[in-house]
Structure formats: C-alpha cells, structure tokens
C-alpha cells in the first residue's frame, strides 16, 4: 500500500463513520433521545436542543483529531496498516465517551424537568397482537431461518475441505491481503493456524446467521394510531429485512470462502469478489438503516413495551433485563438491534465474537 491508496481508502471510511455518528440521534427514531425515553414533543425543547448541538460539536472535534491522526499515520509515520485501524478506533472510543456524557446530561435534565412537566415520558399504550398477525410473522421468520442456513452450510463445507487438504497446502501461507487482493503478510504453515483461520471464518458465519435470525424474531411495535396500516408495514419490513440479511449473509460468506480458498492455495483473494461483495454489503447496510428508520418500531405513537423502561438500560445502549426472554431488542441510540445481556444466552452471544476473534488471532 502507498500514500495515495491509503488516503483514498481510509479517509472516506473515516468520513462515513463521522457522518453516521453525527446523525445517530436522527436515526434513533422518535421515542428515545440519546438513550433516554422521552416524549417526542420535547425533542426540540431548548434545553434538549443545546445538548444535541453539544454532542454534534464534540463529534466534529473528534473527527478533526482523528483525521489529523490519519494523515500523520500515512504521510509522517508511513504506518499504512495502523492508519486503517487506529484513527477509526480512537474516534469510536472518543465518541463513546462523548455520548455517555450527553446521555447522563439528558437523564439529569429529564429528571429535573419532570417536576414541572407531567408528560415527558412515553405514553404507555399497549397493543394486543392478533393470532393471524403473529402467524404471518412466524412464517416469514421460519422461511428465512432455513434460507440463511444455506450459505452457512457452504462455508462449513469449504472449511472442512481446506482442513482435509492440509497436506497439500504450501509451507508458507498468507495471513493478510491488501485492497488489491494480493497477500502482504505471510506465516509458516501449521495445523493450528489453518484450524484457527477456518474456525474464525465459520465461527463468524454462525454469529452472523444467529444475529440475522434473532433480529427478525425481535419484538414488534405497532403504531396505536394506525394499527392495521402498521401491521402491513411491519410485515413488509420484516420480509425486506429477511431478504437483505440473506444478501448480507451470502456476501459475507463469499468473502470468507474466498479467504479460505486463498489460504488453501497460498494465493491472492479475487478482487472481482472482494470489492463487489464489500460494496454490496455497504449498500445493503445503508438500505437497512433506512428501512429500520421507516418501520413503526420507532414512531412517536408506537406501542409501549418493557424495553422502553429506562431503568433496564446501562448508559441507554446496553439492555439488561433477565425477565425479558428476547435475545435481541431495538437499539435506543442508532439504528438496528442490540443484545439483552440480562439473559444467559445474551451474555454468551455478547462475548462470543470477541472470544472467536481473539482466540483465532492468538493462534495465527
């Protein structure tokens, strides 16, 4: 990698990360303000707007600092690998602490204003889901649960094939590939290293599969002002999420298979696979964000559920409710879903990706 290539790749990624972070609250819907449940009518109240502007100001400052770090890594230190990781990591950690500060300020402000304002909290309206609607949801979830297994099975078969052909693998294997697809880091072959690579690819495929399916199974919320319309919208969104998650699974597993084959042959990864798959993944994620934002789950008049209770959230971003069987629930800050760490399954799922990646990297 050279200066120009590192600049072309890393700076747009850092800028995209900044834009997404800057508009995270806007993507969070109309029920929570920086992780705190709040009547949408008060989102534009002066005191809350000041905190929103403060978050965006400090986010912009963090971006500028990270950009300086990025350019320094590329042009001064010539640390191309570090330039693709360190500035993004610094920005994410910095912004997390900025968010925590704003979250606590919103929490304190809400508590203070609640003495004089009686309707700051969300309206607690419950909507009963009819049997027909639940059955339609279950049919869609079951359909995609089966379809999503196909790419996972293919990755597992390829992994078994690579392991079975261990004796045919060259003595020196690639461990990292650059943007062009060419290998730029190598290591001596060993059974443990090959097993670790396969374990990481298959393990991550399993996690992506489970995350996709349990996201589809997550709790529905209907707009109590437009119940019939929101039922149709939810089923449409569920079906589209099933399709897009399937596309994500396929693209991710194609990348994993390409890496496994490149490891098996001690060769480059195919750039005609690498870049189209990566671009599709990015576009699908953008569309999913739009789809999530338009779903009834985050509308102002969505039905109230247990995960709307502030006391069950840590910093407004970590859901901890042992009495809720849901593995995944809707995020409060940002678009998407998060794990319920209050359950045993949630704790396992929360730490499993870190264990797989760290263990595999340690072996490699």
């Amino acid at each position: 990698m050279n200066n120009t290539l590192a600049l072309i790749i890393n700076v747009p990624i850092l800028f995209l990360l900044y834009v997404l972070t800057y508009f995270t609250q806007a993507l969070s819907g109309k029920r929570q303000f920086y992780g705190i449940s709040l009547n949408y009518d008060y989102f534009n109240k002066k005191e809350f707007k000041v905190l929103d502007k403060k978050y965006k100001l400090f986010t912009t400052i963090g971006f500028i600092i990270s950009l300086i770090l990025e350019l320094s890594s590329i042009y001064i230190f010539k640390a191309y690998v570090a330039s693709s990781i360190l500035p993004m990591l610094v920005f994410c950690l910095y912004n997390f602490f900025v968010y925590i500060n704003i979250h606590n300020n919103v929490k304190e402000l809400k508590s203070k204003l609640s003495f004089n304002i009686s309707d700051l909290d969300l309206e607690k309206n419950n909507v009963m889901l009819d049997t027909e609607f639940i059955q339609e949801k279950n049919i869609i979830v079951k359909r995609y649960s089966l379809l999503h297994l196909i790419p996972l099975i293919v990755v597992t078969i390829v992994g078994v094939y690579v392991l079975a052909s261990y004796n045919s693998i060259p003595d020196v294997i690639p461990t990292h590939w650059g943007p062009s697809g060419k290998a730029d880091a190598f290591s001596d072959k060993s059974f443990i290293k090959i097993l670790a690579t396969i374990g990481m690819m298959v393990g991550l495929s399993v996690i992506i599969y489970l995350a996709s399916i349990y996201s589809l199974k997550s709790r529905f919320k209907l707009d109590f002002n437009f119940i019939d319309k929101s039922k149709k919208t939810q089923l449409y969104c569920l079906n589209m999420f099933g399709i897009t998650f399937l596309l994500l699974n396929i693209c991710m597993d194609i990348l994993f298979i390409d890496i496994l084959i490149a490891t098996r042959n001690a060769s480059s990864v195919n750039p005609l696979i690498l870049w189209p798959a990566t671009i599709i993944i990015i576009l699908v994620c953008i569309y999913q964000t739009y789809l999530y934002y338009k779903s009834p789950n985050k509308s102002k008049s969505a039905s109230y559920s247990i995960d709307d209770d502030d006391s069950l959230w840590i910093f407004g971003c970590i859901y901890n409710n042992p009495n809720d069987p849901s593995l995944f629930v809707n995020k409060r800050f940002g678009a998407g879903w998060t794990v319920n760490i209050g359950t045993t399954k949630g704790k396992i799922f929360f730490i499993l990706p870190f264990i797989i990646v760290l263990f595999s990297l340690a072996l490699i």
Side-chain angles (χ1 to χ4, degrees), residues 2-8 11 67-80 83:
N2 54 41
N3 292 353
T4 304
L5 188 59
L7 187 71
I8 291 174
V11 172
L67 183 60
I68 293 172
L69 181 60
E70 176 72 53
L71 297 175
S72 299
S73 299
I74 294 173
Y75 289 102
I76 298 176
F77 300 105
K78 308 296 182 182
Y80 301 125
S83 71

Side-chain angles (χ1 to χ4, degrees), residues 174-238:
T175 56
H176 186 270
W177 295 265
S180 65
K182 292 183 179 180
D184 54 17
F186 301 86
S187 174
D188 292 333
K189 179 184 76 170
S190 74
F191 185 80
I192 294 297
K193 290 177 181 178
I194 297 297
L195 183 62
T197 301
I198 295 170
M200 182 187 290
M201 299 299 102
V202 175
L204 291 176
S205 295
V206 171
I207 290 171
I208 293 169
Y209 168 79
L210 292 174
S212 300
I213 299 308
Y214 278 100
S215 294
L216 296 178
K217 289 182 177 180
S218 63
R219 185 180 292 112
F220 269 3
K221 294 184 180 184
L222 300 179
D223 189 327
F224 56 78
N225 289 329
F226 307 96
I227 294 177
D228 290 335
K229 180 181 178 181
S230 61
K231 284 180 182 179
K232 294 178 181 179
T233 303
Q234 281 287 27
L235 291 175
Y236 169 78
C237 289
L238 181 63

Side-chain angles (χ1 to χ4, degrees), residues 68-104:
I68 293 172
L69 181 60
E70 176 72 53
L71 297 175
S72 299
S73 299
I74 294 173
Y75 289 102
I76 298 176
F77 300 105
K78 308 296 182 182
Y80 301 125
V81 175
S83 71
S84 63
I85 300 173
L86 187 60
M88 287 75 164
L89 182 61
V90 168
F91 179 74
C92 289
L93 288 174
Y94 165 86
N95 202 256
F96 176 72
F97 288 108
V98 171
Y99 162 75
I100 295 299
N101 176 258
I102 299 299
H103 166 81
N104 290 333

Side-chain angles (χ1 to χ4, degrees), residues 50-181:
V50 167
L51 292 176
D52 181 52
K53 290 179 180 178
K54 181 179 178 182
Y55 170 82
K56 291 176 177 177
L57 172 63
F58 280 101
T59 296
T60 301
I61 292 173
F63 169 70
I64 294 171
I65 294 171
S66 299
L67 183 60
I68 293 172
L69 181 60
E70 176 72 53
L71 297 175
S72 299
S73 299
I74 294 173
Y75 289 102
I76 298 176
F77 300 105
K78 308 296 182 182
Y80 301 125
V81 175
S83 71
S84 63
I85 300 173
L86 187 60
M88 287 75 164
L89 182 61
V90 168
F91 179 74
C92 289
L93 288 174
Y94 165 86
N95 202 256
F96 176 72
F97 288 108
V98 171
Y99 162 75
I100 295 299
N101 176 258
I102 299 299
H103 166 81
N104 290 333
N105 288 340
V106 172
K107 186 176 182 179
E108 291 174 8
L109 179 59
K110 179 185 174 183
S111 178
K112 178 182 177 181
L113 293 176
S114 63
F115 289 106
N116 299 316
I117 303 175
S118 60
D119 60 344
L120 275 175
D121 275 313
L122 299 174
E123 191 173 353
K124 295 185 178 180
N125 287 307
N126 296 314
V127 176
M128 297 297 293
L129 302 179
D130 58 80
T131 306
E132 182 181 352
F133 177 73
I134 294 174
Q135 286 178 342
E136 287 186 61
K137 176 188 175 182
N138 290 339
I139 289 172
I140 294 173
V141 171
K142 187 176 292 185
R143 179 199 310 152
Y144 287 107
S145 297
L146 295 173
L147 288 173
H148 281 58
L149 276 174
I150 297 173
L152 174 59
I153 291 171
V154 174
V155 169
T156 305
I157 291 173
V158 173
V160 171
Y161 160 73
V162 172
L163 193 63
S165 59
Y166 174 78
N167 292 332
S168 302
I169 298 175
D171 293 333
V172 177
I173 58 173
T175 56
H176 186 270
W177 295 265
S180 65

